[in-house]
Amino acid sequence: MNKQYVDLLIVGAGPAGLAAAISAREEGIESILILEREQEPGGILRQCIHNGFGLHRFHEELTGPEYAQRDIDRIRELNIPVECGTTVLSVSDQRVITCVSASKGFRRIQAGAVILAMGCRERPRGALCTPGTRCAGIYSAGTAQRFVNLEGFMPGKRVVILGSGDIGLIMARRMTLQGAKVLACVEIMPYSSGLNRNIVQCLEDYGIPLYLQHTVTEIHGRERLDGITIAQVDKKRIPIPGTEIHFDCDTLLLSCGLIPENELSQGAGVEISPLTSGPVVSDNLETSVPGIFSCGNVLHVHDLVDHVSNESFKAGKAAAAFIRNPSHAEARFAVCDGTGVRGTVPQRISAAPQEDVQLMFRPSDVFRNAAAVVECGGQEILRKKAMIYTPGEMAVLTLKKEVFSTLSGDTITVRIEGEKNNG
Amino acid sequence: MFDTDILIVGSGITGTALARELSRYDARILVLDRGSDIAEGATKANSGIVHAGYDAVPGSLKAHYNVRGAALFSSLCESLSVPYRKCGAFVIGFDAKDLDTLYVLLQRGESNGVKGLRILSRDEALRLEPSLNPDIAGALDVPESAIVSPYELAFALADEAALNGVSFLLGQTVTAVEKTGEGWLARTGKGESVSCKVFVNCAGSSGADLHNLISDFPLHMTHRRGQYYLLDRAPVLPFSRTIFQCPSVMGKGVLVSPTVHGNLLLGPNAEDIPDPLDTATTSEGLSDVLEKARRTWPGASIRTNITNFSGIRAHLSTDDFLVGPVSGAANAFEAIGIESPGLSSAPAVGLELSEMIAASMSLKRKNAVVSLPRRPVPFHEMTDEQRNAAVESNPEYGNIVCRCECVTEAEVRQAIRRPVGAKTIDGVKRRTRAGMGRCQGGFCSPRVAQIISEETGIPLAQITKDGGDSYLLSGTLASFLKGGSVNE
């Protein structure tokens, strides 16, 4: 059986894997291999043909494929091999990878360090337990996006979208522009989980109604979907009888959340956070298994690809440091979620971080005129005010590396102070 | 117009088991089904349990066929490469009345000839299955109880029947049956007709309707729907056995069971419904299942739920199977009212009914019978060495189509090329497990549709999820902007 050694193996050639590879090479790591299960690099950006990518990183508005292409071009300049059509089957805690492809067969690869950059998947209907028939015409928004933007087919004509995540909002506009009628976007929460600009540009600009605090209560149609019923929900998200609205539609798109895809990570024995569904990492993005790093949407679901790239540059740099000196820094601080905060990454911080530490999290609710506060041992170490903190947008707090030597406690807590506002 | 010696209506587990047995005889056989694929009715949506036979009333046909059928299962599944596992079962009781029931089941089982039955104390049961509700009073241990993939068994039975000359006519509903001299003429809703010497009714939930078309002895059938949760695979499941609660008049109650593929199944509830095709789930039904499952498994969590589904049980008012010649109709046979333990009974029903039919027609056995070739080990279950060899012999094993269940392009193509091959997304799913996992086909269905199109020549926009009008797509972008679509 083929056996091979690389210094750095990266699982996934989406924006996270590409950025990690670029930074590791810039740190001087020569032997890098990226494995990608799709036939081309770029990840989910390939099907995101709308614009709005790269405002932070490139200070211009790019489409998904344009954004990806910049990294792909750089990867080619740096001569970093990307093997597409290659699926990683397992990763061991000793960093042995098995993978398979049609062209190179089954292989076992020993890596000096591994970066997990597999991305995330969409929550399917089953996870929502929506009752009704199991007819055709129910798609996750991303599957529909693939059919339209990569395969050139329309999944349906009269569409309702459940969930107001960004992909759902984008698909509302895309389906409309392509000749379908989008009847409604239905969101169980009192606020959208998507970016505000997408609410405006994808729903409001096209007169598509957004039903907040509503959910789909029944799916109708024996072979192909022929309608759905939605109803208003109470504070416990239970449908309120008598508030039902029926839509005649042939398509239901689900945009009800993304789940980091960590089956490989779990196989390697990586500790997974129940809050982010991604690995528990320290400030250098190393998981609980030495030499295995994680970045991008497999670590936690991001709002902007710019954040993904930024995080992944750090992971590439940290993996390079590990390859040069394979030591596993002990965590000194635990990062905990306080009021209004959910799933802060990283969960652990070493005693003396090499760089400034960015704490990233999703607010658990909408807060107005609020401040994000970081504390340790009763001492406030950061306060960042904002007009609004919302679950649709990732909050990023930067802690200077110098601050850590001044801290006396072991637990760093992040919380939000402010008016909870569900309006 | 088709002409055949034997027409079997229904390609569920009973119809396919019968077809395979009859294919050993020298006769022309046609299996007709309204579904677009084999096993579209109760066979695709049940608990997948091979019952040991403690539940059926001694002397009933259910008891007879269950015990004989269950004994045939292990070698049948082995010869057809169908997943089957004797995982054992507990029937749990919560109070003195339940314990009395467990003793009744023990005695019933023993008089039905079930081996290894014993009553376990609470502590012993909890030691063997630690996730059980600690409030149980005791359990009946049923070591002979097994699990199987029911639709995969039907596919394999159909494939072997087809290899031995049986024809399949799918997507056709019988709407009329007329007597023609010595035989019968069946007409379908799509205007097709089949003339046959012997007519066999294995029509599941339509069994009574079909019976009443040809017999002067009318039957009444009720349709009992059962809803399920299917949870994701996990390295360690909370239960290693099938856990039943004490049975009631409505059936065996809500079970919690591992499946042969390593998922966990919760269900079914039981509700009589007017429409035998109404396999919708309901919020009341699903809540009911979860509540009852929590009695067995207080820690039940549906956080890893993959899908919900429901199946319809065909219940005759006689509360037993009806197997044999149709009363008052010459050259017609039936196996109807095949509710639980119908899956367990199918091999025996198929065998005995084939013998009755062969005797009535004086059929001769063929000299040679073709066995179904051994099915390759699924890629997902291969060792690294086997995977290496598989990709070397066929590079399509190197393309993973379904990431959740690790299904390869080679396997998807094989499923389409089987004797009774898949033509739909669900057909590929049930044969290969592509799309059966946690993303529910979100990633693989576009690729699966493409492969079906390549293999069958069906245009992509006409590929269906499950036959009929279950189109995946409404047309190309170009056709759409012109205001038309290929399906209009």
Side-chain angles (χ1 to χ4, degrees):
Chain A
M1 200 178 299
N2 293 317
K3 223 170 203 175
Q4 129 187 36
Y5 177 87
V6 294
D7 279 343
L8 176 59
L9 188 130
I10 298 174
V11 187
L18 296 174
I22 291 166
S23 82
R25 174 58 60 81
E26 286 171 350
E27 288 291 312
I29 303 300
E30 279 306 308
S31 157
I32 302 175
L33 177 61
I34 310 178
L35 301 179
E36 167 56 47
R37 57 190 157 200
E38 292 291 319
Q39 298 302 321
E40 287 170 56
I44 213 71
L45 287 177
R46 292 173 58 228
Q47 68 186 50
C48 300
I49 64 170
H50 52 281
N51 60 359
F53 299 94
L55 284 167
H56 294 243
R57 183 173 162 205
F58 298 115
H59 307 290
E60 2 174 0
E61 214 174 358
L62 305 174
T63 65
E66 284 170 334
Y67 185 104
Q69 196 61 43
R70 295 203 174 184
D71 287 334
I72 293 167
D73 289 344
R74 181 73 182 134
I75 288 280
R76 296 213 168 115
E77 267 169 39
L78 294 170
N79 237 339
I80 299 172
V82 183
E83 289 182 11
C84 292
T86 304
T87 303
V88 173
L89 300 170
S90 69
V91 178
S92 83
D93 59 355
Q94 297 302 309
R95 305 182 301 282
V96 176
I97 286 90
T98 63
C99 63
V100 70
S101 70
S103 56
K104 296 200 168 179
F106 179 89
R107 279 179 296 164
R108 193 175 274 139
I109 303 170
Q110 172 71 59
V114 173
I115 297 179
L116 302 170
M118 293 88 75
C120 58
R121 63 168 176 268
E122 299 174 278
R123 278 179 83 197
R125 175 185 171 189
L128 312 172
C129 298
T130 307
T133 54
R134 289 170 307 289
C135 47
I138 304 165
Y139 295 97
S140 62
T143 305
Q145 188 179 47
R146 182 183 174 108
F147 271 124
V148 177
N149 291 349
L150 293 184
E151 319 281 341
F153 284 90
M154 283 293 276
K157 300 167 195 165
R158 288 174 64 83
V159 184
V160 172
I161 295 174
L162 175 61
S164 60
D166 288 314
I167 317 170
L169 300 174
I170 294 289
M171 282 310 290
R173 177 175 63 185
R174 184 79 183 105
M175 295 290 284
T176 304
L177 291 175
Q178 209 57 50
K181 175 73 185 164
V182 178
L183 303 163
C185 180
V186 181
E187 170 61 58
I188 195 165
M189 301 301 285
Y191 47 81
S192 162
S193 57
L195 295 169
N196 194 49
R197 71 175 192 220
N198 284 335
I199 305 273
V200 175
Q201 294 170 9
C202 300
L203 297 184
E204 290 174 9
D205 286 0
Y206 296 91
I208 299 167
L210 173 61
Y211 291 85
L212 294 173
Q213 287 177 290
H214 279 72
T215 193
V216 173
T217 52
E218 200 172 349
I219 289 167
H220 313 277
R222 194 147 279 170
E223 293 176 341
R224 175 82 194 197
L225 183 71
D226 60 32
I228 60 152
T229 306
I230 71 169
Q232 200 182 332
V233 297
D234 62 19
K235 281 183 179 156
K236 290 178 181 162
R237 299 184 217 166
I238 308 293
I240 303 168
T243 62
E244 291 85 0
I245 308 171
H246 181 88
F247 291 98
D248 287 326
C249 58
D250 65 6
T251 305
L252 175 65
L253 299 187
L254 305 177
S255 177
C256 302
L258 299 167
I259 308 165
E261 202 161 57
N262 275 294
E263 282 68 31
L264 285 176
S265 324
Q266 283 169 301
V270 165
E271 182 188 348
I272 302 293
S273 155
L275 294 169
T276 58
S277 301
V280 170
V281 291
S282 44
D283 51 284
N284 66 346
L285 300 165
E286 189 175 20
T287 68
S288 61
V289 178
I292 299 184
F293 298 78
S294 171
C295 56
N297 281 350
V298 77
L299 175 58
H300 54 154
V301 176
H302 291 67
D303 53 347
L304 299 176
V305 68
D306 307 65
H307 287 153
V308 167
S309 301
N310 188 33
E311 178 177 274
S312 304
F313 284 129
K314 285 185 195 165
K317 197 172 171 187
F322 182 87
I323 291 162
R324 285 192 299 267
N325 173 23
S327 66
H328 184 63
E330 284 304 309
R332 158 86 169 77
F333 303 99
V335 180
C336 293
D337 297 338
T339 320
V341 170
R342 197 176 150 80
T344 307
V345 172
Q347 292 87 350
R348 289 168 191 166
I349 297 174
S350 57
Q354 300 295 304
E355 295 184 40
D356 293 350
V357 175
Q358 283 194 330
L359 298 177
M360 304 177 91
F361 63 90
R362 297 277 184 160
S364 62
D365 218 314
V366 177
F367 295 87
R368 289 179 197 277
N369 301 317
V373 180
V374 184
E375 292 166 327
C376 183
Q379 172 192 354
E380 183 175 307
I381 51 180
L382 187 87
R383 175 174 288 264
K384 186 177 175 185
K385 288 184 185 169
M387 296 279 287
I388 186 165
Y389 279 105
T390 148
E393 291 176 33
M394 186 97 94
V396 183
L397 308 174
T398 304
L399 299 178
K400 294 279 176 206
K401 62 181 175 185
E402 295 78 20
V403 80
F404 294 96
S405 61
T406 69
L407 302 178
S408 53
D410 298 324
T411 302
I412 293 173
T413 304
V414 187
R415 63 184 171 85
I416 293 184
E417 276 179 5
E419 313 156 21
K420 213 184 223 188
N421 185 327
N422 292 341
Chain B
M1 169 82 171
F2 292 83
D3 183 42
T4 187
D5 294 331
I6 303 168
L7 170 64
I8 300 171
V9 180
S11 70
I13 194 70
T14 309
T16 53
L18 174 65
R20 174 175 169 274
E21 292 295 345
L22 282 171
S23 73
R24 277 121 169 80
Y25 295 94
D26 206 1
R28 293 172 304 152
I29 302 159
L30 178 74
V31 178
L32 184 150
D33 199 292
R34 69 169 164 234
S36 67
D37 199 351
I38 303 295
E40 293 267 88
T43 302
K44 78 163 184 206
N46 61 76
S47 306
I49 310 292
V50 182
H51 294 283
Y54 58 81
D55 192 50
V57 180
S60 66
L61 288 183
K62 282 182 177 176
H64 166 74
Y65 285 114
N66 182 350
V67 175
R68 189 168 182 205
L72 295 169
F73 249 89
S74 172
S75 62
L76 180 66
C77 290
E78 172 63 26
S79 74
L80 295 174
S81 321
V82 171
Y84 165 88
R85 190 155 61 86
K86 206 172 266 187
C87 63
F90 283 175
V91 186
I92 55 171
F94 289 93
D95 51 28
K97 186 169 147 278
D98 284 353
L99 288 182
D100 288 345
T101 307
L102 296 186
Y103 277 100
V104 170
L105 296 177
L106 175 78
Q107 281 162 6
R108 238 188 237 178
E110 285 175 345
S111 56
N112 287 344
V114 182
K115 295 189 194 90
L117 297 175
R118 59 186 182 134
I119 303 285
L120 301 181
S121 68
R122 167 192 180 274
D123 291 355
E124 216 174 335
L126 281 170
R127 188 175 59 77
L128 292 167
E129 292 289 356
S131 301
L132 273 176
N133 188 341
D135 293 342
I136 57 166
L140 174 67
D141 181 23
V142 191
E144 290 293 302
S145 188
I147 50 179
V148 69
S149 170
Y151 44 87
E152 285 178 83
L153 178 57
F155 294 142
L157 291 165
D159 281 346
E160 192 168 281
L163 287 180
N164 288 290
V166 174
S167 306
F168 287 81
L169 182 60
L170 301 175
Q172 298 275 352
T173 308
V174 172
T175 48
V177 185
E178 299 155 22
K179 192 88 188 91
T180 57
E182 291 300 292
W184 299 92
L185 182 73
R187 295 183 191 282
T188 75
K190 288 184 186 163
E192 198 55 78
S193 58
V194 182
S195 92
C196 60
K197 292 177 186 152
V198 166
F199 179 88
V200 193
N201 174 4
C202 300
S205 62
S206 305
D209 291 343
L210 210 53
H211 170 98
N212 293 342
L213 283 179
I214 60 172
S215 172
D216 50 8
F217 172 71
L219 288 175
H220 181 67
M221 187 176 265
T222 46
H223 298 98
R224 199 161 277 177
R225 183 167 66 188
Q227 306 185 26
Y228 293 88
Y229 288 87
L230 183 72
L231 307 190
D232 199 358
R233 285 187 286 114
V236 182
L237 292 175
F239 297 96
S240 65
R241 292 169 180 77
T242 304
I243 312 293
F244 297 98
Q245 295 171 7
C246 278
S248 74
V249 288
M250 288 298 273
K252 294 189 178 70
V254 169
L255 59 77
V256 177
S257 180
T259 71
V260 283
H261 298 293
N263 299 90
L264 198 72
L265 193 63
L266 314 183
N269 65 336
E271 46 181 337
D272 289 340
I273 53 160
D275 177 356
L277 298 178
D278 183 8
T279 54
T281 55
T282 61
S283 58
E284 299 77 21
L286 292 174
S287 314
D288 186 29
V289 168
L290 188 56
E291 194 182 312
K292 286 178 174 149
R294 285 198 167 128
R295 220 171 160 225
T296 294
W297 178 27
S301 160
I302 53 164
R303 204 178 52 82
T304 61
N305 189 50
I306 283 186
T307 190
N308 298 106
F309 63 90
S310 74
I312 311 279
R313 288 158 268 181
H315 178 74
L316 283 177
S317 49
T318 53
D319 203 24
D320 202 359
F321 298 160
L322 193 53
V323 179
V326 179
S327 164
N331 299 323
F333 292 82
E334 64 196 350
I336 59 176
I338 310 293
E339 58 184 329
S340 177
L343 170 62
S344 321
S345 303
V349 171
L351 182 64
E352 294 190 17
L353 190 54
S354 74
E355 286 164 353
M356 291 179 219
I357 294 167
S360 82
M361 299 173 78
S362 307
L363 297 178
K364 289 196 178 59
R365 281 200 168 262
K366 287 177 185 166
N367 292 327
V369 173
V370 185
S371 295
L372 191 65
R374 268 215 84 71
R375 190 178 167 217
V377 178
F379 188 81
H380 173 66
E381 293 169 21
M382 286 182 187
T383 63
D384 287 354
E385 286 66 32
Q386 287 173 318
R387 286 176 173 173
N388 188 39
V391 189
E392 272 180 11
S393 69
N394 178 3
E396 285 168 356
Y397 269 109
N399 292 328
I400 306 293
V401 172
C402 166
R403 58 176 76 166
C404 303
E405 298 294 307
C406 205
V407 181
T408 65
E409 180 184 345
E411 292 166 299
V412 173
R413 291 190 189 275
Q414 284 160 15
I416 301 165
R417 294 173 192 164
R418 283 172 71 154
V420 186
K423 292 182 179 63
T424 62
I425 298 287
D426 281 357
V428 168
K429 176 172 89 173
R430 292 187 200 114
R431 285 171 182 81
T432 65
R433 297 188 59 72
M436 199 69 101
R438 52 188 77 92
C439 92
Q440 283 288 286
F443 286 112
C444 67
S445 56
R447 180 69 187 129
V448 169
Q450 211 171 40
I451 297 173
I452 296 172
S453 178
E454 286 167 23
E455 288 282 331
T456 62
I458 303 169
L460 196 54
Q462 285 169 30
I463 302 287
T464 61
K465 176 179 181 285
D466 203 11
D469 284 326
S470 65
Y471 295 104
L472 284 189
L473 301 167
S474 295
T476 60
L477 299 190
S479 72
F480 226 76
L481 287 178
K482 278 183 234 144
S485 97
V486 291
N487 294 330
E488 281 183 348

Tab-separated table of all heavy atoms in Angstrom, chain A residues 352-369:
chain	number	residue	atom	x	y	z
A	352	ALA	N	1.280	32.587	27.817
A	352	ALA	CA	1.901	33.710	27.112
A	352	ALA	C	1.701	33.559	25.611
A	352	ALA	O	2.573	33.050	24.912
A	352	ALA	CB	3.393	33.760	27.453
A	353	PRO	N	0.542	33.988	25.122
A	353	PRO	CA	0.277	33.844	23.685
A	353	PRO	C	1.323	34.585	22.849
A	353	PRO	O	1.804	35.646	23.250
A	353	PRO	CB	-1.109	34.475	23.514
A	353	PRO	CG	-1.725	34.429	24.864
A	353	PRO	CD	-0.597	34.576	25.835
A	354	GLN	N	1.650	33.997	21.698
A	354	GLN	CA	2.652	34.590	20.808
A	354	GLN	C	2.116	35.838	20.116
A	354	GLN	O	2.868	36.686	19.673
A	354	GLN	CB	3.066	33.570	19.738
A	354	GLN	CG	3.674	32.292	20.302
A	354	GLN	CD	4.990	32.564	21.013
A	354	GLN	OE1	5.902	33.121	20.436
A	354	GLN	NE2	5.063	32.209	22.294
A	355	GLU	N	0.784	35.873	19.969
A	355	GLU	CA	0.175	37.000	19.254
A	355	GLU	C	-1.042	37.494	20.028
A	355	GLU	O	-1.490	36.841	20.951
A	355	GLU	CB	-0.317	36.532	17.876
A	355	GLU	CG	0.793	36.100	16.967
A	355	GLU	CD	0.254	35.748	15.600
A	355	GLU	OE1	-0.642	36.475	15.117
A	355	GLU	OE2	0.706	34.750	15.041
A	356	ASP	N	-1.588	38.617	19.572
A	356	ASP	CA	-2.852	39.086	20.146
A	356	ASP	C	-3.906	38.000	19.932
A	356	ASP	O	-3.873	37.286	18.931
A	356	ASP	CB	-3.314	40.375	19.452
A	356	ASP	CG	-2.364	41.544	19.742
A	356	ASP	OD1	-1.481	41.390	20.620
A	356	ASP	OD2	-2.495	42.584	19.073
A	357	VAL	N	-4.839	37.892	20.879
A	357	VAL	CA	-5.843	36.825	20.811
A	357	VAL	C	-7.193	37.425	20.420
A	357	VAL	O	-7.651	38.394	21.032
A	357	VAL	CB	-5.955	36.097	22.166
A	357	VAL	CG1	-7.086	35.078	22.131
A	357	VAL	CG2	-4.629	35.421	22.508
A	358	GLN	N	-7.787	36.869	19.388
A	358	GLN	CA	-9.130	37.321	19.010
A	358	GLN	C	-10.155	36.364	19.577
A	358	GLN	O	-10.123	35.172	19.297
A	358	GLN	CB	-9.254	37.338	17.487
A	358	GLN	CG	-8.561	38.543	16.886
A	358	GLN	CD	-8.949	38.766	15.453
A	358	GLN	OE1	-9.268	37.829	14.733
A	358	GLN	NE2	-8.915	40.011	15.027
A	359	LEU	N	-11.055	36.904	20.386
A	359	LEU	CA	-12.174	36.105	20.891
A	359	LEU	C	-13.344	36.322	19.930
A	359	LEU	O	-13.720	37.464	19.660
A	359	LEU	CB	-12.572	36.561	22.296
A	359	LEU	CG	-11.497	36.423	23.388
A	359	LEU	CD1	-12.027	36.992	24.700
A	359	LEU	CD2	-11.085	34.971	23.568
A	360	MET	N	-13.897	35.231	19.422
A	360	MET	CA	-15.016	35.339	18.480
A	360	MET	C	-16.209	34.582	19.038
A	360	MET	O	-16.051	33.486	19.573
A	360	MET	CB	-14.624	34.743	17.123
A	360	MET	CG	-13.385	35.382	16.533
A	360	MET	SD	-12.924	34.573	14.991
A	360	MET	CE	-13.813	35.569	13.837
A	361	PHE	N	-17.376	35.175	18.904
A	361	PHE	CA	-18.572	34.487	19.401
A	361	PHE	C	-19.817	35.041	18.722
A	361	PHE	O	-19.772	36.093	18.066
A	361	PHE	CB	-18.697	34.628	20.920
A	361	PHE	CG	-18.865	36.050	21.384
A	361	PHE	CD1	-20.140	36.609	21.510
A	361	PHE	CD2	-17.765	36.852	21.678
A	361	PHE	CE1	-20.300	37.931	21.914
A	361	PHE	CE2	-17.927	38.178	22.082
A	361	PHE	CZ	-19.189	38.712	22.201
A	362	ARG	N	-20.926	34.330	18.906
A	362	ARG	CA	-22.224	34.814	18.441
A	362	ARG	C	-23.018	35.308	19.638
A	362	ARG	O	-23.214	34.561	20.599
A	362	ARG	CB	-23.020	33.662	17.810
A	362	ARG	CG	-22.378	33.072	16.581
A	362	ARG	CD	-22.720	33.886	15.365
A	362	ARG	NE	-22.190	33.263	14.167
A	362	ARG	CZ	-22.631	33.524	12.950
A	362	ARG	NH1	-23.597	34.404	12.764
A	362	ARG	NH2	-22.092	32.948	11.906
A	363	PRO	N	-23.495	36.547	19.608
A	363	PRO	CA	-24.420	36.975	20.666
A	363	PRO	C	-25.631	36.040	20.681
A	363	PRO	O	-26.057	35.564	19.625
A	363	PRO	CB	-24.818	38.390	20.245
A	363	PRO	CG	-23.680	38.851	19.368
A	363	PRO	CD	-23.213	37.617	18.654
A	364	SER	N	-26.162	35.750	21.864
A	364	SER	CA	-27.256	34.793	21.937
A	364	SER	C	-28.601	35.455	21.659
A	364	SER	O	-29.619	34.809	21.584
A	364	SER	CB	-27.275	34.130	23.308
A	364	SER	OG	-27.489	35.111	24.288
A	365	ASP	N	-28.603	36.766	21.534
A	365	ASP	CA	-29.852	37.497	21.331
A	365	ASP	C	-29.494	38.830	20.661
A	365	ASP	O	-28.319	39.103	20.456
A	365	ASP	CB	-30.507	37.764	22.700
A	365	ASP	CG	-32.017	37.630	22.620
A	365	ASP	OD1	-32.595	38.178	21.662
A	365	ASP	OD2	-32.603	36.993	23.518
A	366	VAL	N	-30.521	39.643	20.392
A	366	VAL	CA	-30.231	40.976	19.863
A	366	VAL	C	-30.089	41.944	21.044
A	366	VAL	O	-30.951	41.993	21.914
A	366	VAL	CB	-31.360	41.458	18.926
A	366	VAL	CG1	-31.086	42.876	18.445
A	366	VAL	CG2	-31.515	40.507	17.750
A	367	PHE	N	-28.997	42.675	21.105
A	367	PHE	CA	-28.780	43.674	22.157
A	367	PHE	C	-28.526	45.022	21.506
A	367	PHE	O	-27.769	45.102	20.537
A	367	PHE	CB	-27.549	43.316	23.001
A	367	PHE	CG	-27.693	42.043	23.778
A	367	PHE	CD1	-27.356	40.828	23.204
A	367	PHE	CD2	-28.164	42.063	25.081
A	367	PHE	CE1	-27.484	39.649	23.922
A	367	PHE	CE2	-28.301	40.886	25.808
A	367	PHE	CZ	-27.961	39.673	25.220
A	368	ARG	N	-29.185	46.068	22.038
A	368	ARG	CA	-28.936	47.413	21.511
A	368	ARG	C	-28.222	48.260	22.554
A	368	ARG	O	-28.333	48.005	23.752
A	368	ARG	CB	-30.256	48.074	21.115
A	368	ARG	CG	-30.847	47.429	19.874
A	368	ARG	CD	-32.176	48.028	19.463
A	368	ARG	NE	-32.832	47.109	18.543
A	368	ARG	CZ	-32.580	47.055	17.227
A	368	ARG	NH1	-31.714	47.879	16.679
A	368	ARG	NH2	-33.201	46.168	16.473
A	369	ASN	N	-27.472	49.255	22.073
A	369	ASN	CA	-26.681	50.132	22.955
A	369	ASN	C	-25.952	49.284	23.993
A	369	ASN	O	-26.112	49.460	25.196
A	369	ASN	CB	-27.581	51.156	23.655
A	369	ASN	CG	-28.294	52.000	22.618
A	369	ASN	OD1	-27.683	52.425	21.634
A	369	ASN	ND2	-29.586	52.213	22.820
